Coordinates of all heavy atoms in Angstrom, one line a residue:
R129 N 7.9 -1.6 17.4 CA 8.1 -0.2 17.6 C 9.6 0.1 18.0 O 10.2 1.0 17.6 CB 7.2 0.4 18.7 CG 5.8 0.5 18.3 CD 4.9 1.1 19.3 NE 3.5 1.2 18.9 CZ 2.5 1.7 19.6 NH1 2.7 2.1 20.8 NH2 1.3 1.8 19.1
A130 N 10.1 -0.8 18.8 CA 11.5 -0.6 19.3 C 12.4 -0.8 18.1 O 13.4 -0.1 17.9 CB 11.8 -1.7 20.3
Q131 N 12.1 -1.7 17.2 CA 12.9 -1.9 16.0 C 12.9 -0.7 15.1 O 13.9 -0.2 14.5 CB 12.4 -3.1 15.2 CG 12.7 -4.5 15.9 CD 12.1 -5.6 15.1 OE1 11.3 -5.4 14.1 NE2 12.4 -6.8 15.5
Y132 N 11.7 -0.1 14.9 CA 11.6 1.1 14.1 C 12.4 2.3 14.7 O 13.1 3.0 14.0 CB 10.1 1.5 14.0 CG 9.3 0.6 13.2 CD1 7.9 0.4 13.5 CD2 9.8 0.0 12.0 CE1 7.1 -0.4 12.7 CE2 9.0 -0.8 11.2 CZ 7.6 -1.0 11.6 OH 6.8 -1.8 10.8
M133 N 12.4 2.4 16.0 CA 13.1 3.5 16.7 C 14.6 3.3 16.5 O 15.3 4.2 16.2 CB 12.7 3.5 18.2 CG 11.3 3.9 18.5 SD 10.8 5.5 17.8 CE 9.1 5.6 18.3
R134 N 15.1 2.0 16.6 CA 16.5 1.8 16.4 C 16.9 2.0 15.0 O 17.9 2.6 14.7 CB 16.8 0.3 16.8 CG 16.8 0.0 18.3 CD 17.5 -1.3 18.6 NE 16.8 -2.4 18.0 CZ 15.8 -3.1 18.6 NH1 15.4 -2.7 19.8 NH2 15.2 -4.1 18.0
G135 N 16.0 1.6 14.0 CA 16.3 1.9 12.6 C 16.4 3.4 12.3 O 17.2 3.8 11.5
A136 N 15.5 4.1 12.9 CA 15.5 5.6 12.7 C 16.7 6.2 13.3 O 17.4 7.1 12.6 CB 14.2 6.2 13.4
D137 N 17.1 5.8 14.4 CA 18.4 6.3 15.0 C 19.6 6.0 14.1 O 20.5 6.8 14.0 CB 18.6 5.8 16.4 CG 17.5 6.3 17.4 OD1 17.0 7.4 17.1 OD2 17.3 5.7 18.5
R138 N 19.6 4.8 13.6 CA 20.7 4.4 12.7 C 20.8 5.3 11.5 O 21.8 5.7 11.0 CB 20.6 2.9 12.3 CG 21.8 2.4 11.5 CD 21.6 1.0 11.1 NE 22.8 0.6 10.3 CZ 22.9 -0.6 9.6 NH1 21.9 -1.4 9.7 NH2 23.9 -0.9 9.0
M139 N 19.6 5.6 10.9 CA 19.6 6.4 9.7 C 20.1 7.8 10.0 O 20.9 8.4 9.2 CB 18.1 6.5 9.2 CG 17.6 5.2 8.5 SD 15.9 5.3 8.1 CE 15.6 3.7 7.5
L140 N 19.8 8.3 11.2 CA 20.2 9.7 11.5 C 21.7 9.7 11.9 O 22.4 10.7 11.5 CB 19.4 10.2 12.7 CG 18.0 10.5 12.5 CD1 17.2 10.8 13.8 CD2 17.8 11.7 11.5
S141 N 22.2 8.6 12.5 CA 23.6 8.6 12.9 C 24.6 8.1 11.8 O 25.7 8.6 11.6 CB 23.8 7.7 14.1 OG 23.5 6.4 13.8
E142 N 24.1 7.2 10.9 CA 25.0 6.6 9.9 C 24.6 7.0 8.5 O 25.4 6.7 7.6 CB 25.0 5.1 10.1 CG 25.4 4.5 11.4 CD 25.3 3.0 11.5 OE1 25.5 2.4 10.4 OE2 25.1 2.5 12.6
G143 N 23.5 7.6 8.3 CA 23.1 8.0 7.0 C 22.2 6.9 6.2 O 22.1 5.8 6.7
M144 N 21.7 7.3 5.1 CA 20.7 6.5 4.4 C 21.4 5.3 3.7 O 20.8 4.3 3.4 CB 19.9 7.3 3.4 CG 18.8 8.1 4.1 SD 17.7 7.2 5.1 CE 17.0 6.0 3.9
E145 N 22.7 5.5 3.4 CA 23.4 4.4 2.7 C 23.4 3.1 3.6 O 23.1 2.0 3.2 CB 24.8 4.8 2.3 CG 25.6 3.7 1.6 CD 25.0 3.4 0.2 OE1 24.6 4.3 -0.5 OE2 25.0 2.2 -0.1
A146 N 23.7 3.3 4.9 CA 23.7 2.2 5.8 C 22.3 1.7 6.1 O 22.1 0.5 6.1 CB 24.4 2.7 7.1
G147 N 21.4 2.6 6.2 CA 20.0 2.2 6.4 C 19.4 1.4 5.3 O 18.8 0.4 5.4
A148 N 19.7 1.8 4.0 CA 19.3 1.1 2.8 C 19.9 -0.2 2.7 O 19.2 -1.2 2.4 CB 19.5 2.0 1.6
S149 N 21.2 -0.3 3.0 CA 21.9 -1.6 2.8 C 21.3 -2.6 3.8 O 21.1 -3.8 3.5 CB 23.4 -1.4 3.0 OG 23.9 -0.6 2.0
G150 N 21.1 -2.1 5.1 CA 20.5 -3.0 6.1 C 19.1 -3.5 5.7 O 18.8 -4.7 5.8
L151 N 18.3 -2.6 5.3 CA 16.9 -3.0 5.0 C 16.8 -3.9 3.8 O 16.1 -4.9 3.7 CB 16.0 -1.8 4.8 CG 14.5 -2.0 4.8 CD1 13.7 -0.9 5.4 CD2 14.0 -2.3 3.3
A152 N 17.7 -3.6 2.8 CA 17.6 -4.4 1.5 C 18.1 -5.8 1.7 O 17.8 -6.7 0.9 CB 18.5 -3.7 0.5

Side-chain angles (χ1 to χ4, degrees):
R129 288 182 179 181
Q131 291 176 351
Y132 289 145
M133 296 300 181
R134 288 195 297 269
D137 290 341
R138 182 182 182 188
M139 288 173 184
L140 290 173
S141 63
E142 300 179 30
M144 285 306 299
E145 182 66 39
S149 295
L151 192 147

